[in-house]
Amino acid sequence: MWRKRGSIENDYIVSSSSSSSSSVSASGDSEEEDMGFLEVMVSDMKHPPPELGPMPDGLSPQQVVRRHILGSIVQSETSYVDSLKRILQDYRHPLMEMEPKALSARKCQVVFFRLKEILHCHSMFQIALFSRVAEWDATEKIGDLFVASFSKSMVLDVYSDYVNNFTNAMSVIKKACLTKPVFLEFLKKRQMTSPDRVTLYGLMVKPIQRFPQFILLLQDMLKNTPKGHPDRLSLQLALTELETLAEKLNEQKRVADQMAEIQQLTRSVSDRSSLNKLLNSGQHQLLLCETLTETVYGDRGQLIKSKERKVFLLNDMLVCANINFKPVSTRGQLEISSLVPLGPKYVVKWNTALPQVQVVEVGQENSTYDKDNVVIQNAGAKKHVSSSQSSNKVYLGPPRLFQELQDLQKDLAVVEQITLLISTLHGTYQNLNMTVAQDWCLALQRMMRVKEEEIHSANKCRLRLLLPGKTDKSGRPISFMVVFITPNPLSKISWVNRLHLAKIGLREENQPGWLCPDEDKKSKAPFWCPILACRIPAFSSNALDLQLGAVVHNPVQSSLLGFSAVSTSLPQGYLWVGGGQEGAGGQVEIFSLNRSVPRTVKSFPVASQVLCMEYIPEKSKEEQEPGKAEDLRSAADQPSAPHPTICLGLQDGSILVYGSVDTGTQCLLTCQSPGRQPVLCLKHSPEYLFAGLHNGTLAAYARNNGGLWDLEAQPTCLEVGTGPVRTLLTLDDTVWASCANQVTVLDAATLQAQQTFEAHPEEEASVTHMIKAGSGVWMAFSSGSSIRLFHTETLEHLQEINIATRTTFVLPGQKNVRVTSLLICQGLLWVGTDQGIIVLLPVPRLEGIPKITGKGMVSLNGHCGPVEFLAVAVSTLAPDVLKNDKEEEGSQEEKPDGPSPEPSALDKPPAREMRKKGILLQYRLHSTSHLPGQLLSVKDAPPAPGGTALEHSEEDGSIYEMADDPDVWVRSRPCARDAHRKEISSVAIISGGRGYRNFNPSSKLPACSETDSTLLIWQVPLML
């Protein structure tokens, strides 16, 4: 039997709050705002702890685990509420009553802003939680309690105020510790007398970690809640509410930090300077800001000097600043009064417009700029020091490494010629024979491999920027090279990628590219929004009027791409585009995406118009493993599983299967559908290839012994209805097939129909698109402007959204809108319409219900006709690109001449860090590292003995990038676990339709240009 550990010291008495007070400003000049909360009065009466009764007999293993997770939730919430009480009772109240004051009342308001309201929220939640514990065995429900408690707007308001004020509060505390010994002594005494020795910082950081902890616990509860359980839908809705709340906190914190950083930079610039006017214009958006180390190398490649710089990437300029410290005391200590409350003072070193900034990789200088018309100077080159003054250790710069590699290549060519001459010798000579000559060649090749690894390692964390300077006396432009050392490879990738996308964002079609209609009438798109990278003709032949039919992305890793090319190119692989003329022939165009602009690499005709495509990856190892011994014996005699394939469905009923490796485009299989019915849609499962036909039939083709689809055998035909099967969806172990306004759910293994439900009340509104997200499926229809959400398990209709209310922001008065395409990618639902307009709507990313909670964005770039399709291209960067320099240095110290060993299993991240799904919840805080003194840190408490078997403790939020280390919080340094991250996704969205249209009325671009089939490609910032 489980019992709640600890006890509840107080009884809660709920009464209505009658006090009202004015709002608290950011500086804390006035009293706290009345948020309409119920006042929770605390009495001294003892209250028995919540208990679960004796465990009933016959509980399933999942029910037992759910009881333990409930215990973790109660224990976690009790600990959290106790921490909030400690902050108020042990710190705030004594400081307010202390005479003389160690901290003024105004500063106390700043430090403890909104903590009282947060405690009220969770005290009420805790009361309801305890009642659920008492009735757990009868109801086993908790999800609805989270929905009711944390869907209120006041919860977002108080937490948002607290999170946005956190850095300000920490700055006040740190300055008070340095200027008021009484206050510092007070903090030390409180920490020493506390049972767990947690600092004030350690207590105050808990509210920021609270929602990630809740999400982890509810994910575990959902994982152990079977389908059909009365709590399952409530848990999914609770996950949606918590994720939405966390995302809003993240976005509000990002905006607040962005504004504060720009204000801080503005204060550090002269009022009369042009940069000050630009920063004060309000038109600038901070995309990236980080402390990088600038390095200067000498002629011999030696490191002359290095210094930390603060680098700001704005939407149209790059600014580099010194972090300015001025010791004014005789002992060289920093004067507190010279420091601003929120972050250091900056001294701008240089700033330049983004279009003139170039990223130059080692060995790529020749293709980056015209050496005949550009003079290169290293930044800081005038301040060279003599070799005697520099340290004895010489650090070779990346250009020097590349020169040494070229020298080795030349030497190898000479040695190979010598080897040929030695082979012509008639006599035999000691130390002059073919064996020795071959050893020379092998040694030089080994040295070249080491040098290449050194250059590759140098490129990983070295950001080399070519910046414009003044012209020389002859009129030639002088550019100077700046070299920054980034903290890790992830940082380098992020800088190169954001610089590339920021330049694209300055093009006229992206100024602006999106309209964001919200309550505040703002139209500025967020920094993460997709950017229109290019628009290209869908077909290379302009002589034929070809209609678009379908598109798929065939991911192929390319090891030939350089480090920066990986960061700036579209997702690696090939884009297959199919179409044709109705009643005539079809066409397939293949584009290579291994660059920033796609190029056609293959084009070939097919017998009929292409209506649909399906990319089928290689079978996973689990799918290839036979379950029985006889299967294992027979598998040994079978050919290996095929490479990825592309399946095409044609208007004349043909199904074509092509090999997808590179651009060979070998047609592996071909067949005719039953009755030669047009193939409207294709989907695959591990066992079958499903084809939706025009006559309402679903044809299922099984795999043959070689792993390919057995198109020669008669397929299994299932009658779904009398109308066309317009769309299919494979979902876990089921297949959804639409016919008219109904959807039939079939078992993917037995092909037996499980259930049929009505997706739209109007019979003429046929289901045309289905797309899954989380625990829901969004559907679009052949008529009407609405999309509808259904639960994947209960098939319940959960939400309906009218897209016309969004498109009217671009085309006022146009209410007859029809949805022609759907796509879900990275928390965004893309909706294409028959007017050529594309709408983006935010949806949750986790296992919850993908309800739409915001107004989203409308693209000002679209097509002249219907958006025929929306597709996503995703590729993952190779793991060796992300390998940390420290790991390489460690391996090179042990084996300087050999290749780096493979990382051991011990170096792999914990299981929870390898989760595919997760929400980034990292509140970036302003820097207070300029303030003297020790960091306000708290070490992780040792694990409690006899821990549960859960994957994580109840106080763990690390999966959400919530760094417990204050060095990460305060200095905005990357998390240490970033070094272990094994995947970075490159994402692009492709839309297809007639021509290109810009919907911005103030744009100079043509309202509707060409009418040929056109592809629009949006690039999304790398998911780091």
Side-chain angles (χ1 to χ4, degrees):
M1 180 186 73
W2 171 83
R3 290 180 179 271
K4 170 73 179 68
R5 290 184 291 178
S7 62
I8 305 302
E9 299 292 336
N10 304 299
D11 188 24
Y12 298 100
I13 304 172
V14 181
S15 64
S16 176
S17 174
S18 59
S19 62
S20 62
S21 55
S22 58
S23 174
V24 175
S25 65
S27 60
D29 291 330
S30 55
E31 294 299 324
E32 296 183 15
E33 180 183 2
D34 180 14
M35 297 294 293
F37 290 91
L38 291 176
E39 187 73 25
V40 181
M41 304 299 294
V42 180
S43 71
D44 295 330
M45 296 170 56
K46 298 289 183 181
H47 192 282
E51 290 189 359
L52 276 171
M55 186 178 297
D57 295 333
L59 292 183
S60 67
Q62 284 187 324
Q63 287 178 302
V64 174
V65 174
R66 280 170 57 84
R67 286 170 65 94
H68 284 298
I69 297 173
L70 176 66
S72 295
I73 293 174
V74 174
Q75 179 182 345
S76 172
E77 185 65 11
T78 301
S79 172
Y80 179 59
V81 171
D82 289 345
S83 297
L84 295 176
K85 291 179 182 177
R86 281 174 59 182
I87 298 173
L88 297 176
Q89 295 172 2
D90 295 352
Y91 290 92
R92 183 182 184 275
H93 297 339
L95 285 171
M96 293 290 288
E97 298 170 358
M98 186 181 297
E99 292 293 343
K101 297 286 187 184
L103 200 65
S104 68
R106 183 184 64 82
K107 291 182 178 179
C108 280
Q109 295 288 357
V110 175
V111 171
F112 304 106
F113 187 47
R114 289 291 184 232
L115 274 168
K116 189 177 179 182
E117 288 87 349
I118 292 177
L119 176 59
H120 286 172
C121 288
H122 285 269
S123 295
M124 299 300 296
F125 172 69
Q126 192 180 43
I127 293 173
L129 181 62
F130 289 170
S131 68
R132 291 301 174 95
V133 172
E135 59 189 25
W136 178 255
D137 290 322
T139 61
E140 282 197 26
K141 288 193 68 176
I142 196 173
D144 58 331
L145 175 59
F146 278 89
V147 174
S149 300
F150 298 108
S151 61
K152 302 170 184 175
S153 60
M154 60 184 180
V155 177
L156 173 64
D157 292 339
V158 295
Y159 266 96
S160 180
D161 288 344
Y162 182 85
V163 169
N164 293 344
N165 181 66
F166 185 83
T167 306
N168 196 9
M170 292 300 105
S171 295
V172 171
I173 292 174
K174 203 161 192 180
K175 288 181 68 174
C177 288
L178 295 166
T179 56
K180 297 186 176 182
V182 177
F183 178 73
L184 180 60
E185 188 63 30
F186 170 79
L187 293 184
K188 288 181 178 179
K189 184 180 294 185
R190 289 294 179 183
Q191 181 185 357
M192 295 302 295
T193 56
S194 65
D196 51 10
R197 305 294 176 89
V198 176
T199 63
L200 176 59
Y201 172 88
L203 293 171
M204 291 188 66
V205 82
K206 290 180 180 291
I208 302 181
Q209 298 170 326
R210 193 64 194 130
F211 292 113
Q213 295 160 1
F214 272 153
I215 289 173
L216 278 174
L217 288 165
L218 288 189
Q219 283 180 315
D220 275 343
M221 185 69 86
L222 180 61
K223 189 189 308 179
N224 290 280
T225 304
K227 292 182 180 180
H229 192 285
D231 197 30
R232 188 166 172 86
L233 179 57
S234 298
L235 285 171
Q236 291 167 337
L237 289 170
L239 269 177
T240 297
E241 293 293 344
L242 292 174
E243 182 186 352
T244 302
L245 182 60
E247 289 283 3
K248 288 180 178 178
L249 287 176
N250 234 359
E251 181 64 13
Q252 292 185 11
K253 179 61 180 171
R254 185 196 65 79
V255 173
D257 281 355
Q258 171 191 329
M259 294 176 60
E261 285 285 4
I262 292 181
Q263 290 172 1
Q264 183 61 43
L265 181 63
T266 306
R267 294 192 203 107
S268 304
V269 180
S270 170
D271 294 340
R272 298 180 180 179
S273 69
S274 58
L275 178 60
N276 185 283
K277 295 178 182 178
L278 290 173
L279 293 175
N280 278 317
S281 65
Q283 300 299 315
H284 294 276
Q285 205 172 7
L286 184 63
L287 305 182
L288 197 57
C289 173
E290 193 173 16
T291 300
L292 306 178
T293 303
E294 183 181 355
T295 57
V296 178
Y297 296 95
D299 296 334
R300 297 185 299 108
Q302 77 277 14
L303 179 68
I304 296 177
K305 67 175 182 179
S306 65
K307 187 174 182 180
E308 284 192 343
R309 311 283 191 197
K310 193 78 168 184
V311 186
F312 301 84
L313 174 59
L314 305 178
N315 57 302
D316 60 351
M317 73 172 70
L318 190 68
V319 181
C320 177
N322 290 332
I323 305 173
N324 191 30
F325 296 131
K326 294 182 178 179
V328 295
S329 66
T330 56
R331 292 177 295 175
Q333 295 179 345
L334 295 175
E335 183 66 34
I336 298 298
S337 60
S338 69
L339 301 175
V340 293
L342 291 177
K345 291 179 179 178
Y346 303 123
V347 175
V348 175
K349 184 175 173 63
W350 49 260
N351 66 281
T352 186
L354 269 189
Q356 299 174 314
V357 179
Q358 298 182 61
V359 177
V360 182
E361 291 288 14
V362 175
Q364 296 178 350
E365 287 88 347
N366 293 336
S367 60
T368 305
Y369 54 86
D370 185 1
K371 284 193 172 183
D372 294 335
N373 296 319
V374 178
V375 179
I376 304 299
Q377 290 185 352
N378 287 329
K382 295 180 180 179
K383 301 179 181 179
H384 286 183
V385 297
S386 63
S387 57
S388 60
Q389 293 174 327
S390 61
S391 62
N392 293 329
K393 189 173 182 180
V394 175
Y395 297 86
L396 294 181
R400 180 71 175 178
L401 293 173
F402 187 71
Q403 182 61 48
E404 291 178 351
L405 176 62
Q406 289 182 320
D407 293 342
L408 287 172
Q409 291 171 338
K410 294 176 182 177
D411 291 347
L412 178 61
V414 173
V415 171
E416 287 174 343
Q417 292 178 357
I418 295 175
T419 305
L420 290 176
L421 293 174
I422 291 177
S423 65
T424 63
L425 293 175
H426 296 286
T428 302
Y429 307 94
Q430 189 177 6
N431 294 334
L432 190 61
N433 52 54
M434 288 297 296
T435 302
V436 173
Q438 290 172 354
D439 286 344
W440 292 346
C441 292
L442 291 174
L444 283 170
Q445 290 171 354
R446 184 167 59 251
M447 293 171 67
M448 287 171 59
R449 284 196 300 270
V450 172
K451 197 61 61 180
E452 287 172 349
E453 290 176 1
E454 290 177 357
I455 292 174
H456 186 57
S457 176
N459 273 340
K460 281 185 176 181
C461 292
R462 282 174 173 81
L463 181 65
R464 304 174 76 230
L465 301 178
L466 190 64
L467 307 174
K470 298 179 181 179
T471 58
D472 62 4
K473 295 180 180 180
S474 63
R476 288 193 304 171
I478 298 179
S479 296
F480 62 97
M481 187 79 72
V482 181
V483 181
F484 292 110
I485 306 298
T486 61
N488 53 45
L490 282 176
S491 174
K492 162 71 180 294
I493 291 174
S494 179
W495 276 100
V496 175
N497 177 255
R498 295 295 167 84
L499 279 166
H500 172 71
L501 293 183
K503 288 183 181 181
I504 297 177
L506 294 177
R507 297 173 183 170
E508 187 173 1
E509 59 266 29
N510 290 314
Q511 290 291 320
W514 298 90
L515 183 65
C516 305
D518 60 15
E519 292 79 2
D520 299 327
K521 308 299 181 185
K522 297 177 182 177
S523 60
K524 185 179 294 185
F527 77 106
W528 46 260
C529 72
I531 296 173
L532 182 61
C534 59
R535 59 180 191 267
I536 57 175
F539 300 104
S540 55
S541 174
N542 295 326
L544 300 175
D545 184 20
L546 299 176
Q547 300 175 6
L548 287 170
V551 64
V552 292
H553 175 237
N554 170 30
V556 176
Q557 291 288 345
S558 174
S559 59
L560 301 178
L561 290 181
F563 197 77
S564 284
V566 169
S567 308
T568 58
S569 70
L570 294 166
Q572 297 178 43
Y574 299 95
L575 191 70
W576 289 53
V577 180
Q581 291 178 303
E582 190 171 355
Q587 186 80 9
V588 174
E589 200 91 5
I590 304 178
F591 296 88
S592 171
L593 300 184
N594 295 341
R595 57 194 68 238
S596 56
V597 178
R599 65 181 178 91
T600 302
V601 294
K602 184 80 172 181
S603 179
F604 60 91
V606 289
S608 180
Q609 182 181 3
V610 179
L611 300 182
C612 56
M613 287 185 177
E614 175 79 344
Y615 169 72
I616 303 175
E618 290 183 274
K619 294 182 69 174
S620 63
K621 292 181 179 180
E622 292 78 8
E623 294 172 345
Q624 291 181 22
E625 289 178 357
K628 299 179 181 180
E630 57 268 20
D631 293 337
L632 185 61
R633 288 191 297 270
S634 61
D637 301 328
Q638 296 173 3
S640 59
H643 290 291
T645 54
I646 305 289
C647 295
L648 277 60
L650 306 187
Q651 176 75 38
D652 64 359
S654 299
I655 298 177
L656 310 179
V657 180
Y658 286 86
S660 69
V661 177
D662 294 333
T663 58
T665 62
Q666 177 187 3
C667 187
L668 305 176
L669 295 171
T670 180
C671 78
Q672 291 291 331
S673 65
R676 293 183 176 269
Q677 288 291 318
V679 182
L680 304 184
C681 49
L682 289 169
K683 287 292 178 183
H684 78 282
S685 71
E687 296 85 11
Y688 292 98
L689 174 66
F690 298 98
L693 307 182
H694 190 270
N695 64 351
T697 300
L698 178 64
Y701 296 88
R703 290 187 186 269
N704 59 23
N705 292 335
L708 286 171
W709 310 109
D710 193 356
L711 300 183
E712 296 181 358
Q714 191 68 21
T716 303
C717 292
L718 308 168
E719 295 298 328
V720 179
T722 57
V725 179
R726 294 180 179 269
T727 182
L728 296 171
L729 178 66
T730 52
L731 195 64
D732 298 330
D733 53 356
T734 62
V735 178
W736 291 28
S738 76
C739 185
N741 64 333
Q742 295 189 330
V743 174
T744 300
V745 181
L746 303 105
D747 188 291
T750 64
L751 304 182
Q752 298 297 315
Q754 296 179 346
Q755 194 171 354
T756 299
F757 66 96
E758 187 179 85
H760 199 282
E762 300 177 7
E763 189 173 348
E764 63 274 11
S766 300
V767 180
T768 56
H769 298 85
M770 295 187 291
I771 192 79
K772 177 187 179 293
S775 299
V777 173
W778 279 102
M779 297 186 187
F781 304 89
S782 60
S783 63
S785 58
S786 294
I787 56 175
R788 295 161 68 91
L789 173 65
F790 292 86
H791 192 216
T792 57
E793 298 167 12
T794 65
L795 309 182
E796 181 182 347
H797 176 219
L798 301 176
Q799 191 179 20
E800 184 166 357
I801 297 294
N802 186 4
I803 297 300
T805 59
R806 274 73 173 177
T807 59
T808 52
F809 288 105
V810 176
L811 293 179
Q814 296 287 337
K815 296 184 178 180
N816 296 324
V817 180
R818 181 171 57 88
V819 176
T820 57
S821 50
L822 283 180
L823 174 72
I824 281 186
C825 177
Q826 294 186 344
L828 291 174
L829 174 62
W830 292 65
V831 183
T833 68
D834 60 343
Q835 298 174 339
I837 300 174
I838 297 172
V839 179
L840 259 64
L841 299 169
V843 292
R845 305 186 190 199
L846 301 183
E847 305 94 317
I849 303 300
K851 293 175 64 178
I852 293 171
T853 56
K855 291 191 175 181
M857 302 186 296
V858 181
S859 176
L860 294 177
N861 296 290
H863 297 279
C864 302
V867 181
E868 299 293 348
F869 54 68
L870 287 165
V872 60
V874 182
S875 68
T876 302
L877 271 65
D880 61 330
V881 175
L882 308 179
K883 191 173 181 182
N884 201 324
D885 270 354
K886 292 181 179 179
E887 296 174 344
E888 293 182 355
E889 289 172 6
S891 61
Q892 288 172 2
E893 286 177 3
E894 296 174 4
K895 297 182 179 181
D897 293 331
S900 301
E902 292 294 324
S904 66
L906 297 175
D907 295 330
K908 294 182 179 179
R912 68 164 181 264
E913 293 187 10
M914 295 297 288
R915 293 185 181 185
K916 288 293 181 72
K917 295 183 179 180
I919 174 176
L920 182 66
L921 187 62
Q922 181 172 4
Y923 304 106
R924 295 285 186 180
L925 305 180
H926 300 304
S927 175
T928 56
S929 59
H930 63 283
L931 295 168
Q934 295 183 350
L935 290 169
L936 300 168
S937 61
V938 52
K939 293 184 178 179
D940 292 333
T948 64
L950 295 176
E951 291 183 9
H952 53 79
S953 69
E954 60 274 4
E955 296 299 327
D956 180 16
S958 59
I959 183 64
Y960 302 97
E961 305 304 321
M962 290 300 303
D964 295 327
D965 181 6
D967 187 55
V968 177
W969 288 77
V970 176
R971 299 173 189 258
S972 295
R973 297 290 193 188
C975 298
R977 68 179 60 87
D978 283 347
H980 297 290
R981 190 169 299 182
K982 299 300 181 186
E983 287 187 359
I984 295 181
S985 296
S986 173
V987 178
I989 308 296
I990 301 98
S991 72
R994 288 285 184 184
Y996 163 74
R997 181 175 182 181
N998 187 276
F999 293 96
N1000 186 0
S1002 60
S1003 175
K1004 298 178 182 179
L1005 293 170
C1008 191
S1009 59
E1010 68 278 354
T1011 58
D1012 292 333
S1013 295
T1014 303
L1015 301 181
L1016 303 183
I1017 301 181
W1018 281 269
Q1019 204 164 348
V1020 180
L1022 286 177
M1023 297 302 294
L1024 302 178

